[in-house]
Amino acid sequence: MPLGLPLNIPTSVEEVDELCENGPSIAFVLGEDKLGKPKVYKLMRNLIATAVVEAKDVELGLPEIKEKAWFTLPAIPETLIDKLDTFFRRVDKEHGTESIVLLTYKPEMKGTENEIEGWGILVPKQKNTAAHCKYDHESVADDKEDDEMIVGTVHSHPGMSAFASHTDHGDQADFDGIHITFGWSKNSSHTEYHIELQVGGTHFTLKPEQAFEAVEETPDFPELEAWMAKVEKASTTSTTTKFS
């Protein structure tokens, strides 16, 4: 600060009053204005008065910080992305609905030679419509291994582009992790991906190359029928989690 004067960061109004009474004759105080914005104030004490006034000519000189996030798990393997694409398209073909899965990762695998093998998928029981998914969180309890962490979701937008809707953002607001949407135009073999990291109440958009291995089309896989058995077309709404 100017002239080497201290910058005080009080945590209450009482601490500011204490500084006014017993602090140095001149100092700086970091606080908030009535709009809740941080501001530097100058504390001055002399023979005729004690005052705390805005230090309009003082700049903190702090760096500008922009919100950003990095995806720090290994790339999601191509085989997993291909399985999900097959599953989502099969659900659309048989039910005409969206569908959803939970992504898992085994933390002890991170940093190992085979860290990409730590990824997994849990398919919850779900009742879906063409516009949203509703799934039962507790239905994956028996399938989840003790060393797995649920780290995100993937859901589909059949017949639409890949994007995160207002409902999606509401559903993932308290679910820190990676949230992915698969989308494709009707009768198209090309799949689009929308990827977001949700951290601390803020979402950050990622490009596929920041989270995926290269993606190519693959045939059906052994687990497909078991996954399909957990998906129903909903006739009424329920109160469990929604993604759309």
Side-chain angles (χ1 to χ4, degrees):
M1 298 303 296
L3 305 177
L5 295 172
L7 175 65
N8 299 275
I9 308 177
T11 58
S12 67
V13 174
E14 288 75 20
E15 286 189 35
V16 176
D17 293 340
E18 177 67 22
L19 279 170
C20 290
E21 293 179 7
N22 303 308
S25 58
I26 183 169
F28 292 95
V29 180
L30 181 63
E32 293 183 351
D33 63 15
K34 61 183 180 181
L35 299 177
K37 295 183 178 181
K39 198 163 281 188
V40 178
Y41 296 84
K42 186 185 297 184
L43 183 154
M44 298 183 297
R45 187 155 46 89
N46 56 34
L47 179 64
I48 60 171
T50 297
V52 179
V53 298
E54 182 182 343
K56 297 180 180 179
D57 57 341
V58 173
E59 295 183 359
L60 287 174
L62 299 175
E64 178 185 0
I65 298 177
K66 296 182 179 180
E67 292 184 322
K68 53 186 174 180
W70 295 262
F71 181 56
T72 55
L73 286 175
I76 300 173
E78 174 188 347
T79 53
L80 186 150
I81 299 301
D82 291 336
K83 282 183 177 182
L84 291 177
D85 195 54
T86 299
F87 171 59
F88 291 150
R89 287 175 179 269
R90 174 78 174 271
V91 170
D92 177 42
K93 181 179 179 180
E94 294 194 10
H95 299 297
T97 70
E98 297 185 354
S99 46
I100 190 167
V101 305
L102 304 178
L103 286 176
T104 67
Y105 191 77
K106 296 180 179 181
E108 70 274 11
M109 295 291 292
K110 187 177 180 182
T112 67
E113 183 177 351
N114 301 314
E115 64 177 1
I116 200 170
E117 297 177 9
W119 284 102
I121 299 169
L122 294 174
V123 182
K125 291 182 178 179
Q126 52 197 277
K127 291 187 177 183
N128 307 327
T129 72
H132 60 260
C133 304
K134 294 188 177 183
Y135 69 93
D136 181 0
H137 291 82
E138 297 181 359
S139 67
V140 300
D142 292 337
D143 298 328
K144 181 180 174 298
E145 299 178 17
D146 291 341
D147 59 347
E148 286 183 317
M149 287 185 62
I150 296 175
V151 296
T153 65
V154 190
H155 78 286
S156 63
H157 277 181
M160 295 185 289
S161 61
F163 66 97
S165 68
H166 178 73
T167 300
D168 295 338
H169 283 151
D171 290 336
Q172 73 189 43
D174 298 319
F175 189 166
D176 280 6
I178 185 167
H179 299 279
I180 305 169
T181 307
F182 282 40
W184 62 88
S185 301
K186 290 186 180 298
N187 303 318
S188 172
S189 62
H190 175 68
T191 301
E192 299 176 3
Y193 310 98
H194 180 79
I195 309 166
E196 291 187 354
L197 274 181
Q198 182 76 29
V199 185
T202 301
H203 60 269
F204 303 87
T205 301
L206 301 180
K207 297 178 180 179
E209 57 266 29
Q210 293 176 289
F212 295 169
E213 279 193 317
V215 177
E216 296 179 4
E217 293 186 12
T218 58
D220 293 353
F221 52 94
E223 306 98 321
L224 180 57
E225 296 305 324
W227 290 11
M228 289 296 301
K230 297 184 179 181
V231 182
E232 297 180 46
K233 184 174 181 178
S235 56
T236 58
T237 57
S238 61
T239 57
T240 48
T241 302
K242 299 184 295 182
F243 275 80
S244 62

